[in-house]
Amino acid sequence: MTLADLEAKQTQLLHRIARLERLAASSISTSKGGEEVAAESTETRLSKILLSKGVNDFAWKRVPSDYYDRSLENRRQILSASRVEQLCKSIVMVNTQASEDITDCSNPKNSKYYVVVVQYMARLNAESIKNFLYALNDKKVPKKRFNMRLAPEDESLELTGFIHNAVTCIGMQTDIPVIIDEAITKLEEDYFWLGGGEVDLKLGMKTSQFLSAFKPFVVKCS
């Protein structure tokens, strides 16, 4: 079996897990004042967060189960995006060289973890993030203490509450500092797409509203 075959099977399995999670969520109810209240969907929960922060120009899109097997151009068409540069992903990164006392995300300037939003078509430059964090700390933290790497999937899931290919920087279980690639903020459309908390759910929103509401670090990292 080739690597491509294994990746395809993994993607199919993740889609099945996501569907099962949605079914389980829809069947769970809580008691409130003696009445049964249905569990809130991912879309509803995240929409409330966006609206509460002043983001009102956003959209949801359910995509086919083979979405990640398709080309970027085909994904663009599915989302009705103007161009592939608007298709982005959220990546959880860990600082593997952080001091022993840096174990969480309580200090946005020197966090153990960061979520990086980058275009699918771009190549992430971890060295640029390292240099940014070094400067952000006024060069008082030795540069060798910054080494950003992709976080293991189990850590990503624990921190965000979202499985692989469903990670989004909205409504995470942990308040992880967010870094967005500068290239996304310079798109003339002022609109980008990213994961929506479920494997087959995508979220599009106005970039300027996202920046104003969530105040991510804007870094040239691709």
Side-chain angles (χ1 to χ4, degrees):
M1 182 177 290
T2 66
L3 178 60
D5 291 333
L6 288 172
E7 291 178 341
K9 286 185 175 296
Q10 181 188 40
T11 299
Q12 292 173 359
L13 179 60
L14 288 171
H15 281 298
R16 293 194 187 106
I17 292 173
R19 284 195 291 270
L20 288 172
E21 287 179 337
R22 289 201 301 275
L23 287 172
S26 65
S27 64
I28 296 175
S29 61
T30 57
S31 178
K32 184 178 180 181
E35 297 181 358
E36 293 296 313
V37 181
E40 196 171 53
S41 70
T42 299
E43 186 174 332
T44 299
R45 182 176 73 85
L46 299 189
S47 292
K48 287 182 177 179
I49 293 174
L50 291 169
L51 291 170
S52 70
K53 288 184 171 291
V55 179
N56 51 44
D57 191 346
F58 63 90
W60 297 97
K61 180 72 176 183
R62 286 283 176 189
V63 298
S65 60
D66 63 347
Y67 179 81
Y68 286 105
D69 296 327
R70 304 192 184 197
S71 67
L72 285 178
E73 173 58 26
N74 194 233
R75 296 184 208 177
R76 179 197 69 76
Q77 294 174 5
I78 292 172
L79 297 175
S80 299
S82 298
R83 49 181 173 153
V84 296
E85 286 86 350
Q86 292 175 275
L87 277 57
C88 306
K89 56 185 174 181
S90 301
I91 304 172
V92 179
M93 301 196 76
V94 57
N95 183 3
T96 61
Q97 294 300 317
S99 302
E100 292 183 3
D101 59 324
I102 306 297
T103 60
D104 57 22
C105 305
S106 58
N107 181 4
K109 290 186 176 182
N110 192 7
S111 176
K112 179 70 173 179
Y113 299 91
Y114 288 89
V115 171
V116 182
V117 182
V118 65
Q119 295 162 310
Y120 266 101
M121 62 170 291
R123 182 174 182 177
L124 182 65
N125 187 336
E127 191 68 18
S128 294
I129 298 176
K130 173 181 178 177
N131 293 334
F132 168 77
L133 295 174
Y134 177 59
L136 185 65
N137 286 273
D138 299 320
K139 301 182 180 180
K140 294 178 180 179
V141 179
K143 185 175 281 191
K144 66 180 182 180
R145 285 299 183 182
F146 299 106
N147 185 52
M148 305 308 298
R149 292 290 180 265
L150 185 68
E153 283 190 22
D154 58 336
E155 290 183 21
S156 176
L157 174 59
E158 182 179 357
L159 289 164
T160 66
F162 304 122
I163 63 174
H164 180 63
N165 282 341
V167 177
T168 183
C169 56
I170 311 297
M172 297 180 289
Q173 288 186 169
T174 307
D175 188 15
I176 311 174
V178 178
I179 294 173
I180 186 170
D181 188 11
E182 182 183 70
I184 301 171
T185 69
K186 291 186 174 182
L187 293 174
E188 60 180 320
E189 291 83 2
D190 191 26
Y191 203 91
F192 72 111
W193 286 87
L194 71 166
E198 297 176 12
V199 176
D200 61 354
L201 183 62
K202 303 305 163 192
L203 168 63
M205 75 183 86
K206 197 173 185 65
T207 312
S208 55
Q209 290 188 358
F210 171 78
L211 296 174
S212 177
F214 296 95
K215 296 178 173 54
F217 295 115
V218 179
V219 183
K220 187 176 181 180
C221 54
S222 66

